[in-house]
Amino acid sequence: MFEKIKLPYPFSGLEPYIDTKTMMVHYERHYGAYVDNLNKYIAENPALAGLSLEDLLRNYPDDEQIRHNAGGVFNHEFFFTGMRPGARSQIIIGLSGKLLQSINRDFGSLEEMKNQFSAAANGVFGSGYAWLVAYPNKKLAIITTENQDTPIQMGLKPLLCIDVWEHAYYLKHLNLRADYVRDFWYLVDWVRVAERLG
Ligand code: MN
């Protein structure tokens, strides 16, 4: 049985960049539905019980229920926990050291990485995510995934993602995805991203 994670901030915590109602609906209904559907599927398929999200995604890449629902749970948890209130004040702490060195090595600058990530997020056709990932050889890259596919299935280590399904921004930003992507940068928890890089 998977339980919804506890968000590390209240639904209102990401205002004014992501509004309270969007966070509430996103967490309770969209993310909640993936958790419920995954649990139902596991209950019907006892061989899957006890596996982590990552193991489900790695071991059953052709199972559509796993791709949609374990992917939906993984991606939402990763997205929600990559943001925090007041993130701007910790940028320098999170970005010192290895993370910033890796970004500078592979993108030239933080600004260039952000530009490439934003362009990828704005360019996702339909529903999906943009990601900062690390390849097994440690090289960082920007990728996009469709629907609820994850970098886990591709053998990559995810560091940061943005959900660009319309439900992630439509109530506040309407169809202006680029405005939502711009606002996202005020929320990125760089300390968490650095931890994920390890
Ligand atoms: Mn979502």
Side-chain angles (χ1 to χ4, degrees), residues 125-142:
F125 184 75
S127 297
Y129 295 77
W131 302 82
L132 174 66
V133 297
Y135 277 80
N137 68 4
K138 312 283 189 220
K139 187 173 164 51
L140 305 192
I142 305 295

Side-chain angles (χ1 to χ4, degrees), residues 10-181:
F11 292 134
S12 61
L14 305 181
E15 293 270 9
Y17 307 109
I18 298 180
D19 61 291
T20 306
K21 190 171 181 186
T22 294
M23 282 308 298
M24 196 181 301
V25 173
H26 204 170
Y27 176 87
E28 296 288 358
R29 301 202 185 174
H30 292 277
Y31 166 54
Y34 286 112
V35 173
D36 291 346
N37 289 336
L38 179 60
N39 283 330
K40 250 181 246 158
Y41 188 64
I42 292 172
E44 292 160 5
N45 296 276
L48 304 175
L51 293 178
S52 68
L53 290 172
E54 286 88 342
D55 283 341
L56 288 168
L57 291 165
R58 278 193 207 101
N59 298 351
Y60 300 94
D62 300 323
D63 184 323
E64 202 169 73
Q65 289 294 315
I66 299 284
R67 277 177 65 193
H68 291 173
N69 295 309
V73 174
F74 180 88
N75 288 343
H76 281 101
E77 293 180 356
F78 204 86
F79 171 60
F80 292 147
T81 58
M83 300 182 289
R84 56 158 282 176
R88 295 182 80 179
S89 58
Q90 45 143 231
I91 283 177
I92 292 166
I93 303 167
L95 269 175
S96 56
K98 186 177 163 190
L99 174 61
L100 186 57
Q101 286 168 16
S102 301
I103 288 172
N104 285 337
R105 180 194 65 208
D106 295 331
F107 297 95
S109 67
L110 174 63
E111 216 42 47
E112 180 57 22
M113 186 281 283
K114 288 168 68 174
N115 287 342
Q116 289 186 27
F117 184 102
S118 295
N122 289 327
V124 172
F125 184 75
S127 297
Y129 295 77
W131 302 82
L132 174 66
V133 297
Y135 277 80
N137 68 4
K138 312 283 189 220
K139 187 173 164 51
L140 305 192
I142 305 295
I143 65 160
T144 61
T145 53
E146 291 183 351
N147 300 314
Q148 296 298 356
D149 288 347
T150 78
I152 303 298
Q153 289 133 324
M154 303 159 73
L156 304 175
K157 178 194 275 193
L159 303 177
L160 177 69
C161 75
I162 183 170
D163 183 343
V164 294
W165 286 57
E166 278 192 344
H167 66 236
Y169 61 89
Y170 200 85
L171 293 179
K172 178 181 172 70
H173 296 90
L174 302 178
N175 61 326
L176 302 177
R177 187 193 290 178
D179 288 1
Y180 159 67
V181 173

